[in-house]
Amino acid sequence: MLHLTMNGLAAAVYRYFPYPVLEQGWQVYSEGRIIDYIVDGVLIRAFVMDDSYERDYPLLVELNLEDLRYSTCDCHSDGYCEHMAAVVFEWCDRADYDPAKLLKSGSSALGGTGGSSAARLSSAGGGEAGDWASILDTLTTARSLLPREESAVDLESPVEGSGPVGWHKYFRSRVHPNRFSSLQAASGLYDKVLGELLPIAEGWEETAAKLYELHVILFAMKLTEEIQVSHIRQQYDFSYYQRMEVYRDLASRCWEHFADIVRVIPRQAAWEHYESVLLETEEVLHSYAQPAPSTVVPWMQIYTALWWDLLWSEAGAEREKARLLKVSEEEELPSSRAEWLMSAQLLFAMRGGMDEEAMALAARMGHSAPAKVLPYLEVMARTRNWERMAAWLQRLVPWMTRVPGGQLGSYFALWEQVRGALGLQQEWKDAVFALLPRSLDYYTEELMNSGLYKEWVDVHLVLGYTPMDFRASELKPIETEQRELLLPWYHHSVELFIAEKNRDAYKRAVRLLKKLQSHYKKLKRTEVWDRYLVYLTTRYSRLRALQEEMQKLRKGGDAS
């Protein structure tokens, strides 16, 4: 079994690979172009995508970690290539070594060109182990697609009483996004970040530890976004959807953890003992929550959850609104940030009780307003703020005409609560009528439950429904209580089907006639039925197909 240390690997790599080739390999690795990776003892077989070659299939790299001289790549370059280097970085990642430490600024770590044909054929000699260790001490991360804030000095580990701004700088120094460039590494981001950073707060006071854990999760979310966005910028390949599934899963796990943490942080204790931590949290959140395009991380939910409760204070709201004002003054604001900005402004207007300002913002949002506003109305319902909630429900009516069905359901569920609390029957009915026919199910359910059967039948008759559009169980209450209300509806529906003048429509008309015959019989009005049947036969005597279908009705006798 191969036991390879980072020092030993660095010694071998810098003996054969020129530094520019390592940089090119880092780019290949960072872009996630290694699409298959199999370890067989000391031999690694990997497929690497490279569009610069005129072939529609990936390059096969066979990397011998025990002796790099016996490594090969389908690109057939003269010497050691970037595809081999990318696989080396991938091995480091999977072996829990930081692959960035194999790079340094300048040329070869040995001060030479490295990687020549002669070197490839030479034996594996070199300096002492101590020399290699000193070389490794000087290695730093090279250029990459993901930005990194470099520090001239080593950052100290977070301690109880320090602040989130320093924590996040330390997090960046410990966990770089490029460690998660491959698909497999990205899938382990949540576990790796928490595993490396959470133990630091062991032994802290409980509230302090929870606040620190909250920031570790925020950092994991930001890493997820950065990695996702860096890959979106690359050319799509067949791994794109697989990657997006990984990112969505990461965002979901982080969000669930975040929600659990926010629920258990005691707000009063946090403000009494860790006010400075909360003030710095405002700054970190403002920076992180401005979303990148197409991000999978639910930053607005996170932002809202923190500001609505844990971070809220009038002074804090004013500070954040000033930050938002600066964002609004930026030129050429990207659409994703512009949407976030408006949603953030709406949040503070709603939380501060400034409904006129909030309604003006909602008006600018148009038909996207309900999705932004409804969650706040649900909060009002939990706090029984019925008057304010009723005003919002009425204001939302014009924007509800094009929302998804789920939002419409939430809207009318809120109306039910308001109507029950304030008795706003006419206001509810006005909203329902304004949103017909989309609101039909909510209105007719109310009519049926209230025993307003005539209104129920009239609405469906006017909108062109027929009794055949309903199950027998749905019409049963009307048949039991006021059967005669169904007769005009059946007569009208029969005429509608006959007017279509085709055999299938005639068959449907006759099925309705059979049921209508049953209703007349149960109402003991068979003489009316007989006259009606004669009328139909006479009026439509020239419709041969209809007469044939009605003949079946007459032969069948009474319908039961």
Side-chain angles (χ1 to χ4, degrees):
M1 184 176 180
L2 179 66
H3 295 283
L4 188 61
T5 65
M6 192 65 168
N7 285 13
L9 178 63
V13 166
Y14 279 101
R15 182 174 296 115
Y16 299 118
F17 286 89
Y19 187 75
V21 171
L22 287 178
E23 282 194 308
Q24 294 167 9
W26 180 265
Q27 188 81 358
V28 172
Y29 160 76
S30 298
E31 292 174 2
R33 285 154 55 187
I34 299 173
I35 60 174
D36 201 3
Y37 179 95
I38 301 171
V39 179
D40 183 8
V42 299
L43 185 66
I44 296 175
R45 293 186 180 87
F47 287 96
V48 182
M49 295 295 294
D50 193 331
D51 295 337
S52 63
Y53 289 83
E54 295 182 358
R55 51 196 294 171
D56 55 1
Y57 53 92
L59 300 167
L60 172 63
V61 174
E62 292 190 346
L63 192 72
N64 191 313
L65 286 175
E66 193 171 55
D67 193 336
L68 290 176
R69 292 177 299 171
Y70 300 108
S71 301
T72 63
C73 177
D74 281 356
C75 73
H76 303 304
S77 64
D78 182 18
Y80 294 85
C81 65
E82 67 270 23
H83 311 110
M84 294 181 189
V87 177
V88 171
F89 292 127
E90 183 74 18
W91 179 86
C92 290
D93 197 342
R94 295 178 184 237
D96 284 332
Y97 293 131
D98 186 353
K101 290 185 177 181
L102 278 178
L103 292 176
K104 78 174 195 69
S105 300
S107 59
S108 167
L110 298 179
T113 57
S116 65
S117 299
R120 184 168 185 172
L121 298 174
S122 67
S123 60
E128 299 297 327
D131 297 333
W132 295 117
S134 65
I135 291 170
L136 282 173
D137 290 338
T138 67
L139 300 182
T140 58
T141 303
R143 298 188 304 270
S144 76
L145 292 173
L146 299 170
R148 181 176 183 178
E149 189 175 304
E150 298 290 350
S151 176
V153 295
D154 291 334
L155 296 173
E156 294 184 0
S157 176
V159 295
E160 187 173 349
S162 57
V165 172
W167 296 349
H168 284 268
K169 289 180 179 179
Y170 178 79
F171 296 162
R172 291 249 171 220
S173 73
R174 282 283 301 272
V175 185
H176 191 270
N178 285 327
R179 292 177 58 181
F180 308 100
S181 296
S182 70
L183 187 60
Q184 179 171 340
S187 65
L189 182 149
Y190 174 86
D191 294 321
K192 283 190 176 182
V193 170
L194 270 63
E196 288 193 32
L197 300 179
L198 283 185
I200 292 173
E202 289 180 359
W204 291 18
E205 188 274 329
E206 184 177 0
T207 301
K210 290 298 182 186
L211 288 169
Y212 174 83
E213 185 175 354
L214 173 69
H215 280 273
V216 171
I217 296 300
L218 290 175
F219 176 67
M221 289 179 176
K222 197 61 179 179
L223 276 187
T224 299
E225 179 180 78
E226 290 175 357
I227 295 167
Q228 176 211 345
V229 171
S230 73
H231 289 146
I232 285 178
R233 293 192 184 121
Q234 310 308 310
Q235 183 177 1
Y236 291 163
D237 58 26
F238 59 82
S239 68
Y240 170 79
Y241 294 102
Q242 193 176 5
R243 286 182 177 278
M244 290 303 296
E245 189 62 31
V246 168
Y247 304 142
R248 291 189 186 97
D249 179 66
L250 284 172
S252 176
R253 294 179 69 186
C254 288
W255 165 253
E256 290 174 4
H257 193 153
F258 167 85
D260 291 340
I261 289 295
V262 169
R263 278 194 289 267
V264 299
I265 294 176
R267 185 180 186 280
Q268 184 175 351
W271 276 103
E272 286 179 1
H273 303 292
Y274 303 103
E275 181 178 355
S276 62
V277 172
L278 295 176
L279 294 179
E280 288 192 23
T281 299
E282 293 178 12
E283 300 177 29
V284 172
L285 181 63
H286 179 82
S287 173
Y288 277 10
Q290 299 181 50
S294 305
T295 182
V296 297
V297 179
W299 283 120
M300 196 60 220
Q301 290 177 243
I302 296 162
Y303 186 85
T304 302
L306 285 174
W307 269 112
W308 194 266
D309 185 33
L310 180 63
L311 294 181
W312 177 259
S313 71
E314 291 187 5
E318 291 304 315
R319 287 191 297 270
E320 181 63 10
K321 286 163 70 175
R323 297 186 190 103
L324 296 176
L325 180 61
K326 288 184 179 180
V327 174
S328 68
E329 293 171 349
E330 294 180 15
E331 295 182 3
E332 298 182 1
L333 199 65
S335 59
S336 60
R337 291 187 67 198
E339 182 181 355
W340 168 81
L341 173 63
M342 196 175 299
S343 297
Q345 291 170 328
L346 177 67
L347 160 65
F348 286 98
M350 295 293 284
R351 182 64 175 83
M354 295 175 288
D355 282 351
E356 289 302 318
E357 179 182 335
M359 287 179 180
L361 286 165
R364 290 167 57 192
M365 295 177 178
H367 287 282
S368 65
K372 310 292 186 182
V373 171
L374 287 175
Y376 298 123
L377 302 193
E378 290 170 358
V379 174
M380 293 179 196
R382 290 195 294 271
T383 57
R384 300 178 182 277
N385 197 341
W386 304 120
E387 289 80 5
R388 187 181 178 199
M389 188 174 161
W392 268 104
L393 289 172
Q394 292 175 78
R395 184 62 179 264
L396 285 177
V397 169
W399 302 319
M400 297 301 300
T401 56
R402 290 163 51 187
V403 300
Q407 289 182 25
L408 195 65
S410 299
Y411 175 78
F412 279 109
L414 292 169
W415 253 121
E416 284 298 313
Q417 297 180 65
V418 169
R419 189 167 57 130
L422 301 180
L424 302 180
Q425 183 68 20
Q426 186 57 50
E427 290 80 357
W428 171 84
K429 186 177 292 187
D430 290 342
V432 169
F433 285 173
L435 294 173
L436 285 172
R438 297 199 66 201
S439 60
L440 179 64
D441 289 344
Y442 306 100
Y443 182 50
T444 55
E445 181 180 4
E446 169 69 15
L447 293 176
M448 184 66 77
N449 292 337
S450 302
L452 300 174
Y453 301 132
K454 184 179 186 304
E455 289 84 345
W456 190 95
V457 172
D458 289 344
V459 166
H460 288 102
L461 190 153
V462 168
L463 293 177
Y465 289 88
T466 76
M468 295 184 69
D469 294 319
F470 299 88
R471 296 186 298 271
S473 59
E474 294 178 278
L475 300 179
K476 190 68 174 177
I478 304 177
E479 292 178 358
T480 302
E481 299 295 330
Q482 291 180 281
R483 187 186 299 269
E484 66 277 5
L485 294 176
L486 294 173
L487 301 182
W489 191 21
Y490 272 86
H491 282 282
H492 180 73
S493 300
V494 167
E495 297 286 349
L496 286 179
F497 286 131
I498 293 176
E500 293 183 26
K501 295 186 177 180
N502 62 74
R503 178 73 71 167
D504 288 337
Y506 295 155
K507 289 180 178 180
R508 290 194 291 272
V510 169
R511 284 199 294 272
L512 285 178
L513 286 170
K514 289 181 179 179
K515 187 64 178 177
L516 183 57
Q517 181 183 20
S518 173
H519 288 319
Y520 274 115
K521 181 177 180 181
K522 290 178 180 179
L523 289 169
K524 303 184 184 305
R525 296 170 62 183
T526 53
E527 71 287 352
V528 178
W529 162 255
D530 291 337
R531 289 199 302 272
Y532 177 62
L533 191 59
V534 171
Y535 161 79
L536 283 180
T537 303
T538 304
R539 180 177 178 182
Y540 298 111
S541 59
R542 295 186 178 183
L543 299 179
R544 182 181 301 176
L546 174 62
Q547 294 298 325
E548 291 174 357
E549 296 298 327
M550 291 181 63
Q551 185 64 26
K552 298 175 184 177
L553 171 66
R554 286 188 285 267
K555 289 181 178 179
D558 292 346
S560 59

